[in-house]
Amino acid sequence: QVQLVESGGGLVQAGGSLRLSCAASGRTFSRSTMGWFRQAPGKEREFVAAISWIVSSTYYRDSVTGRFTISRVNAKNTVYLQMNNLKPEDTAVYYCTAGGTTMNPTYWGQGTQVTVSS
């Protein structure tokens, strides 16, 4: 049974930083794309970032480019999202994803709340 478990969410002031982690179990994702989506209250879920297994190419939504960094450690079956210079509009539940394609992943975590106060 595949599980993706996120951690690292919390409450932070605008301009602060958080690092999200996602540990996968049940199968290896060393040859799969892994990523992050988010959903703010009253809004649709949206893509945030992804990292491929081929040369670890990275992809970001425009609004987080330059502030967020996605990385992975295949030996730990883990993906990270370093979030700097956080803004109130980054407030959302953040979901880890794995497998499938960048915009249509197969597996989803339960989500971790990130709240940025102004």
Side-chain angles (χ1 to χ4, degrees), residues 4 14 16 21-22 25 30-31 44 46 48 55 63 65-66 73-74 76 78 80-81 84 86 95 101 105 110 118:
L4 303 178
S21 300
C22 171
S25 61
S30 60
R31 290 180 175 266
E44 293 188 355
E46 62 185 19
V48 176
V55 300
S63 63
T65 298
V73 177
N74 287 335
K76 294 184 177 181
T78 298
Y80 304 95
L81 186 67
N84 298 329
L86 282 159
Y95 297 90
T101 64
Q110 293 289 87
S118 57

Side-chain angles (χ1 to χ4, degrees), residues 37-51:
F37 281 68
R38 69 186 181 187
Q39 188 167 20
K43 295 187 177 181
E44 293 188 355
R45 194 153 49 186
E46 62 185 19
F47 168 78
V48 176
I51 183 166

Side-chain angles (χ1 to χ4, degrees), residues 24-117:
S25 61
R27 58 158 280 189
T28 179
F29 288 101
S30 60
R31 290 180 175 266
S32 300
T33 295
M34 300 186 78
W36 294 89
F37 281 68
R38 69 186 181 187
Q39 188 167 20
K43 295 187 177 181
E44 293 188 355
R45 194 153 49 186
E46 62 185 19
F47 168 78
V48 176
I51 183 166
S52 73
W53 66 274
I54 301 175
V55 300
S56 292
S57 297
T58 57
Y59 310 89
Y60 300 94
R61 70 179 298 106
D62 289 346
S63 63
V64 308
T65 298
R67 300 188 296 121
F68 291 11
T69 302
I70 188 171
S71 60
R72 64 191 296 167
V73 177
N74 287 335
K76 294 184 177 181
N77 223 18
T78 298
V79 64
Y80 304 95
L81 186 67
Q82 177 67 43
M83 306 185 294
N84 298 329
N85 190 22
L86 282 159
K87 303 177 180 181
E89 52 263 43
D90 294 318
T91 294
V93 176
Y94 283 71
Y95 297 90
C96 173
T97 63
T101 64
T102 299
M103 300 306 291
N104 191 25
T106 302
Y107 301 102
W108 294 76
Q110 293 289 87
T112 185
Q113 177 70 46
V114 171
T115 302
V116 184
S117 63

